[in-house]
Amino acid sequence: MSHHLSAEMRACIENCLRCYSICLSSFSGHCLEAGGEHIAPAHARLMLACAEICRTSAHFMLLGTPHHRHTCAECAEICRECAADCERVGGMEECVAACRRCAESCAAMAA
Amino acid sequence: MSHHLSAEMRACIENCLRCYSICLSSFSGHCLEAGGEHIAPAHARLMLACAEICRTSAHFMLLGTPHHRHTCAECAEICRECAADCERVGGMEECVAACRRCAESCAAMAA
Amino acid sequence: MSHHLSAEMRACIENCLRCYSICLSSFSGHCLEAGGEHIAPAHARLMLACAEICRTSAHFMLLGTPHHRHTCAECAEICRECAADCERVGGMEECVAACRRCAESCAAMAA
Amino acid sequence: MSHHLSAEMRACIENCLRCYSICLSSFSGHCLEAGGEHIAPAHARLMLACAEICRTSAHFMLLGTPHHRHTCAECAEICRECAADCERVGGMEECVAACRRCAESCAAMAA
């Protein structure tokens, strides 16, 4: 993942894979244990959807397809929504931060 | 995959997973063996990107997230492009047909 | 997905993608709504792990890599465990049946 | 991806996601452009299979399923094979290094 890709794209891929990792591990390691609001259907689906679009967005950039702009745009939107929902639920600061950072770099890649 | 999902969505999921299957197996089992135009970078990346977005689109519908509309819209666009490119290259009728059918049902889900 | 692949492998791919679809949509559309035992951490993780290994097993067969034997063996094991756990929890007959069928064809592919 | 996971597991997840990233971007950005041995069917399939099993192995650790031992064992095996094949083909030092490092940490996780 390297000389073929710009520094900005490499950073965006890393932000996507980090956000994917934190969403999935927070859902499984924290939300499932905490219960309550953490496991409300809409919140759970949003976290799993966020993990998946981050994974796909990274995949498109790694492939080097020009369609990455569209997956990055969608990724930025879902990450923003996930950050807001995790903030509302509370106790998920790491996830909020990862989603915000990913949203920012994806929005820049989509522009 | 069932009583939770409408008949139209179930059909779209099946079209996505079928298009994913045909794009990936055609790339690996046919394009890599045939060489030439089949393995030109842009064609190869498009087939792999098409396989990935079909997989993701199905995933979003199975999760039941309202964001499926956006992944379906993107899936329809990539599938149409992939169908056109496979037609141009030639000898990929199965892939052309699967991409067209997937594009059609994804476009309807995105509307 | 076709002339490159044996009829047995095509059937196994379809069983994997069907089991993936049912595990993911049952988790999201049924378990998250039902709560209780359906959302106990170990059950939830098992269903999500089952969905993922089915997806990967299908991917390996579609790629045509000889390593599919190992992912199919692992898929058979996880599917059997998921079927048993869904039976214990109850009300998940569709998932039990899909897991059993997938386990059977994956075990045959792994042999 | 954090307090729920041991430091060793976090490092293994990072090695897996890095190896996934390098295998996929090297295949698409380097091998497809270079042609020849780089695009021989067996080499191409091995690189794509390596990318996929790394992705799945990371997913299993992030989910926190005990089955990660088996996907890590398979990941170590495929990474070793991919490293050897990339070395044989030549000009793929970054991929060789990432595969070796991932194989080592996955083998330790599988033990």
Side-chain angles (χ1 to χ4, degrees):
Chain A
M1 148 165 146
S2 55
H3 38 295
H4 325 300
L5 305 170
S6 71
E8 192 195 6
M9 196 176 278
R10 285 201 305 273
C12 190
I13 292 165
E14 273 172 32
N15 287 333
C16 284
L17 291 178
R18 188 169 160 73
C19 189
Y20 153 70
S21 298
I22 290 176
C23 283
L24 183 58
S25 65
S26 296
F27 174 72
S28 191
H30 177 65
C31 295
L32 285 175
E33 301 288 348
E37 276 296 297
H38 285 281
I39 210 60
H43 178 68
R45 282 173 204 137
L46 181 53
M47 289 200 66
L48 291 173
C50 192
E52 177 75 4
I53 195 70
C54 286
R55 209 184 191 194
T56 299
S57 241
H59 200 84
F60 267 44
M61 289 185 276
L62 291 163
L63 271 179
T65 166
H67 290 282
H68 75 85
R69 290 186 188 284
H70 307 136
T71 48
C72 280
E74 179 60 12
C75 191
E77 187 178 321
I78 297 180
C79 282
R80 273 190 289 254
E81 199 180 305
C82 192
D85 206 49
C86 286
E87 202 161 49
R88 181 187 61 76
V89 169
M92 302 193 67
E93 291 72 20
E94 195 185 18
C95 204
V96 172
C99 286
R100 291 238 163 93
R101 194 168 165 182
C102 185
E104 213 175 305
S105 65
C106 276
M109 291 304 301
Chain B
M1 152 161 142
S2 55
H3 38 296
H4 325 299
L5 304 168
S6 71
E8 191 194 7
M9 196 176 279
R10 285 202 305 272
C12 190
I13 292 165
E14 273 171 34
N15 286 334
C16 284
L17 292 179
R18 188 170 161 74
C19 189
Y20 153 71
S21 297
I22 290 175
C23 282
L24 183 58
S25 66
S26 296
F27 175 72
S28 191
H30 177 65
C31 295
L32 285 174
E33 301 289 349
E37 276 297 297
H38 285 280
I39 210 58
H43 179 68
R45 282 174 205 136
L46 182 53
M47 289 198 67
L48 292 173
C50 192
E52 176 75 4
I53 195 70
C54 287
R55 211 186 189 193
T56 299
S57 241
H59 201 83
F60 267 44
M61 288 185 277
L62 291 163
L63 270 179
T65 168
H67 290 281
H68 75 85
R69 289 186 188 285
H70 306 137
T71 48
C72 280
E74 180 60 13
C75 191
E77 187 179 320
I78 298 181
C79 281
R80 275 192 286 256
E81 199 180 302
C82 192
D85 206 49
C86 286
E87 200 161 51
R88 181 187 60 75
V89 168
M92 303 192 67
E93 289 71 21
E94 196 185 15
C95 204
V96 172
C99 286
R100 292 238 163 94
R101 193 167 164 183
C102 186
E104 212 173 308
S105 65
C106 276
M109 291 304 300
Chain C
M1 154 163 140
S2 55
H3 39 294
H4 325 298
L5 304 170
S6 71
E8 191 195 7
M9 196 175 278
R10 284 201 305 272
C12 190
I13 291 164
E14 274 171 33
N15 287 332
C16 284
L17 291 178
R18 186 169 162 74
C19 189
Y20 153 70
S21 298
I22 291 176
C23 282
L24 183 58
S25 66
S26 296
F27 175 72
S28 191
H30 177 65
C31 295
L32 286 174
E33 301 289 349
E37 276 296 297
H38 284 281
I39 210 60
H43 179 67
R45 284 175 203 136
L46 182 53
M47 289 199 66
L48 292 173
C50 192
E52 175 75 5
I53 195 70
C54 287
R55 209 184 189 193
T56 300
S57 240
H59 201 84
F60 267 45
M61 288 186 277
L62 291 163
L63 271 178
T65 167
H67 289 282
H68 75 83
R69 290 187 188 284
H70 305 136
T71 47
C72 280
E74 181 60 11
C75 191
E77 187 178 320
I78 297 179
C79 282
R80 274 191 288 256
E81 200 180 302
C82 192
D85 207 48
C86 287
E87 201 161 50
R88 181 187 59 77
V89 169
M92 303 192 66
E93 291 70 23
E94 195 185 17
C95 204
V96 172
C99 285
R100 291 237 164 92
R101 193 167 165 182
C102 185
E104 211 174 308
S105 66
C106 275
M109 291 305 300
Chain D
M1 153 164 143
S2 56
H3 38 295
H4 326 297
L5 304 169
S6 71
E8 191 194 7
M9 197 176 277
R10 286 202 304 271
C12 190
I13 291 165
E14 274 172 31
N15 287 331
C16 283
L17 291 179
R18 188 169 160 73
C19 189
Y20 154 69
S21 297
I22 291 176
C23 282
L24 183 58
S25 66
S26 297
F27 175 72
S28 191
H30 177 64
C31 295
L32 286 175
E33 300 289 348
E37 276 296 299
H38 285 280
I39 210 59
H43 178 68
R45 282 174 204 136
L46 182 53
M47 289 199 67
L48 292 173
C50 192
E52 175 76 3
I53 195 71
C54 287
R55 210 184 189 195
T56 300
S57 239
H59 200 84
F60 267 44
M61 289 185 277
L62 291 162
L63 271 178
T65 167
H67 289 282
H68 75 83
R69 290 187 188 285
H70 306 136
T71 48
C72 280
E74 181 58 14
C75 191
E77 188 178 320
I78 297 181
C79 282
R80 274 191 289 258
E81 200 180 302
C82 193
D85 206 48
C86 286
E87 201 161 50
R88 180 187 62 75
V89 169
M92 302 193 68
E93 290 72 21
E94 195 186 16
C95 204
V96 172
C99 286
R100 291 237 163 93
R101 194 167 163 182
C102 186
E104 213 174 306
S105 65
C106 276
M109 291 305 300

